[in-house]
Amino acid sequence: MSKKIVVALGGNAILTDNASAEAQQAALRKTAKYLVQFVENGDNLIISHGNGPQVGNLLLQMAGGSTAKNPAMPLDTDVAMTQGSIGYWMQNAMDEVLSEKGIDKDVATVITQVEVGADDPAFTDPTKPVGPFYSKEEADKQKAEHPDFVFVEDAGRGYRRVVASPRPTGVKEYRVINHMVADGIIPISVGGGGVPVVKEGNRLAGREAVIDKDFASEKLAELVDADTLIILTAVDNIYVNFNKPDQKKLENITVAELKKYLDEDQFAKGSMLPKVQAAIEFVENSNNGKAVVTSLENVDKFLSEGAGTIITR
């Protein structure tokens, strides 16, 4: 029986040291070869992805060319723009590899709006760095031009704007995505964590924020009743005591066991921590679903041997 699988791609699946369109398209062609293995396995695939470097580059380009007649776009629109550009590259890459394999299947990008709470405390405590580095003088100038912006010193490298990173509460297009899967289409969705929106009466209004793509992928997987949430990152497994002499690889683990490691602060913020938290939330909130954390390069071993870190209830 085929399984419905949400696969969340890390940034290393899209962007290398070269930020050109050609280099990112080449990286995605390699990524597509791994992802098509799920299709060959008979699974119904939903793809999600990050956009941190891309939206940062776009902010930099807009800041450099912004004028009164041609102003820079707000952050929610920038997220939508990078959803479109990455989705365009990814669906072309998937189409190419599917064609090479003789698989007749359509791939399409959904510009996805992810709902967040207007009263989420993250809006009063922005922590997510975005965009270029500034000197103190440049940051002060930006602050004078944009009084609502918040700037912080970032690890001795200069000042950066920080924005809110609220938790997702819903995915507006999840029913569309489910219909696409039922019709045999591979959706690319919640790119970059989705466009952050809040309900204002009968409309959804964008917000200057960046949603963590692991949490957005978890919420989508929950809403579409996925069998499995797979979070692909740079390592084959979750580790405890990472990079220490007594480093330990986690393979098959329950939510209760993983929570004990959370209580020990085993996982780095902004790195493995949100992946672990998203995996736990999916397993707890799904109908007997499981979560997997592994690397893109380990997909074949996951499919053939169950390799990776597998989290179950």
Side-chain angles (χ1 to χ4, degrees):
M1 183 178 176
S2 63
K3 294 181 179 178
K4 188 186 295 183
I5 295 178
V6 174
V7 175
L9 294 171
N12 61 319
I14 306 169
L15 185 63
T16 59
D17 293 336
N18 185 340
S20 69
E22 294 79 10
Q24 293 184 71
Q25 287 171 298
L28 281 168
R29 281 193 290 273
K30 293 180 181 177
T31 295
K33 291 179 180 179
Y34 290 105
L35 295 182
V36 167
Q37 293 178 81
F38 290 105
V39 182
E40 293 178 301
N41 194 53
D43 298 321
N44 293 315
L45 184 63
I46 300 170
I47 302 170
S48 66
H49 61 84
N51 74 339
Q54 292 83 5
V55 80
N57 290 343
L58 182 58
L59 284 168
L60 182 61
Q61 292 161 4
M62 286 200 170
S66 180
T67 65
K69 289 187 177 180
N70 186 29
M73 293 293 103
L75 184 53
D76 57 306
T77 302
D78 293 337
V79 172
M81 292 168 74
T82 54
Q83 276 192 11
S85 60
I86 296 170
Y88 155 59
W89 294 335
M90 187 174 293
Q91 66 191 43
N92 272 352
M94 288 292 292
D95 285 341
E96 182 179 336
V97 177
L98 287 166
S99 180
E100 289 172 358
K101 298 282 187 178
I103 300 171
D104 183 15
K105 210 165 182 65
D106 289 323
V107 187
T109 300
V110 180
I111 303 301
T112 317
Q113 300 171 96
V114 173
E115 297 171 36
V116 298
D119 58 351
D120 190 303
F123 284 115
T124 58
D125 183 26
T127 57
K128 183 77 170 175
V130 295
F133 287 93
Y134 296 101
S135 67
K136 181 67 167 63
E137 293 75 20
E138 290 169 334
D140 289 343
K141 184 171 184 262
Q142 286 288 320
K143 180 72 175 174
E145 294 174 1
H146 306 281
D148 294 337
F149 286 9
V150 178
F151 292 85
V152 298
E153 196 275 331
D154 187 353
R157 296 175 294 176
Y159 288 78
R160 292 181 79 188
R161 181 185 171 194
V162 288
V163 298
S165 187
R167 285 293 192 100
T169 60
V171 178
K172 175 66 169 65
E173 291 79 15
Y174 82 90
R175 285 181 291 266
V176 174
I177 293 161
N178 245 348
H179 285 309
M180 292 170 71
V181 173
D183 286 340
I185 300 166
I186 300 173
I188 301 167
S189 57
V190 295
V195 180
V197 294
V198 299
K199 289 182 178 178
E200 291 185 352
N202 292 324
R203 68 186 288 265
L204 293 174
R207 286 291 182 269
E208 294 267 335
V210 173
I211 302 169
D212 185 282
K213 61 94 180 163
D214 295 317
F215 291 126
S217 301
E218 183 283 321
K219 182 57 66 176
L220 175 64
E222 188 183 319
L223 290 168
V224 301
D225 197 21
D227 297 290
T228 309
L229 169 65
I230 301 178
I231 299 174
L232 297 179
T233 186
V235 291
D236 292 349
N237 291 77
I238 299 172
Y239 289 84
V240 293
N241 302 322
F242 187 60
N243 278 340
K244 296 179 181 178
D246 58 345
Q247 172 178 290
K248 177 186 174 184
K249 177 169 65 174
L250 303 182
E251 295 180 284
N252 291 283
I253 188 167
T254 67
V255 165
E257 291 169 326
L258 197 53
K259 282 184 173 179
K260 290 178 183 177
Y261 291 125
L262 269 181
D263 292 339
E264 296 174 6
D265 292 327
Q266 283 280 357
F267 310 115
K269 292 180 180 178
S271 178
M272 189 56 75
L273 180 61
K275 295 169 176 54
V276 169
Q277 291 172 324
I280 288 172
E281 287 184 19
F282 174 69
V283 173
E284 289 188 326
N285 296 326
S286 66
N287 296 314
N288 205 34
K290 68 180 180 182
V292 180
V293 178
T294 191
S295 69
L296 186 67
E297 295 77 12
N298 200 47
V299 164
D300 58 341
K301 288 185 178 179
F302 164 71
L303 289 171
S304 63
E305 305 169 15
T309 299
I310 301 175
I311 303 108
T312 57
R313 190 170 298 174

